[in-house]
Amino acid sequence: MKPLSAAVAALILVAQPVSAQTVILVRHAEKVDASADPLLSEPGVMRAQALAAVTAQADLTHVYSTPLQRTRLTAAPAAEAAGLTVETLDLSGGGAAHVARTAETLRGLDADDVVLVVGHSNTVPAIARALGVAEVADMSDCEYDRLIVIELKEGAARAVTGRYGAPSEPC
């Protein structure tokens, strides 16, 4: 796994002005198989560790994931490094309901919180859009290395996108 790029670290640090909430969105890391609730593969474990390294200087205040193993296991190293526990976001009601609840939860946090959210390829872009970021590309099933940092301030959203860990394999 490549070391953390200075550019990705800068994205997180620059996106943390006083009195603005910062939301870091990533998809879960690589999984061992296509079963309903798989564990992480070895590359996935390495990516979860890379995520912890990327967020180490971010002063995380909350770490969220879905209840599925792959998201919890991706979030766990970052949460542990920050002295936090992974909080789960309900998946009931389907993707649109989950995205709406997640956006509502994030908007209800303090203005200066720094939050990591680990989701899925179909929910990460949708959560960014629900928070007000209009220009977010969909994720392919093989994309694991995208990191979206969103600054929420006074009702406006600004986002920067970076990559972390090893580059995802092309589909």
Side-chain angles (χ1 to χ4, degrees), residues 2-161:
K2 288 179 160 178
L4 166 67
S5 80
V8 172
L11 289 176
I12 292 174
L13 297 175
V14 168
Q16 293 186 64
V18 175
S19 298
Q21 186 184 85
T22 302
V23 178
I24 303 164
L25 291 172
V26 298
R27 178 190 182 189
H28 62 78
E30 293 88 335
K31 52 194 177 179
V32 294
D33 58 39
S35 63
D37 194 13
L39 296 169
L40 296 180
S41 65
E42 185 58 34
V45 171
M46 292 174 66
R47 184 168 310 282
Q49 292 167 350
L51 180 60
V54 166
T55 59
Q57 300 300 312
D59 295 326
L60 295 174
T61 57
H62 298 274
V63 176
Y64 290 101
S65 81
T66 68
L68 299 175
Q69 291 186 105
R70 60 189 174 271
T71 55
R72 287 185 293 114
L73 292 170
T74 302
E80 183 178 328
L84 301 170
T85 59
V86 178
E87 302 172 65
T88 56
L89 297 162
D90 187 12
L91 285 174
S92 66
H98 164 72
V99 167
R101 272 192 308 277
T102 299
E104 182 180 350
T105 296
L106 297 173
R107 284 192 194 102
L109 298 175
D110 291 338
D112 59 352
D113 279 339
V114 180
V115 184
L116 171 63
V117 178
V118 180
H120 302 272
S121 61
N122 64 327
T123 62
V124 167
I127 292 166
R129 291 181 197 117
L131 292 174
V133 181
E135 300 295 322
V136 179
D138 288 337
M139 287 183 148
S140 71
D141 284 341
C142 352
E143 184 179 3
Y144 294 96
D145 62 347
R146 189 189 320 177
L147 179 138
I148 304 168
V149 180
I150 303 170
E151 173 191 280
L152 299 174
K153 185 174 184 177
E154 299 172 0
R158 180 177 67 113
V160 290
T161 301

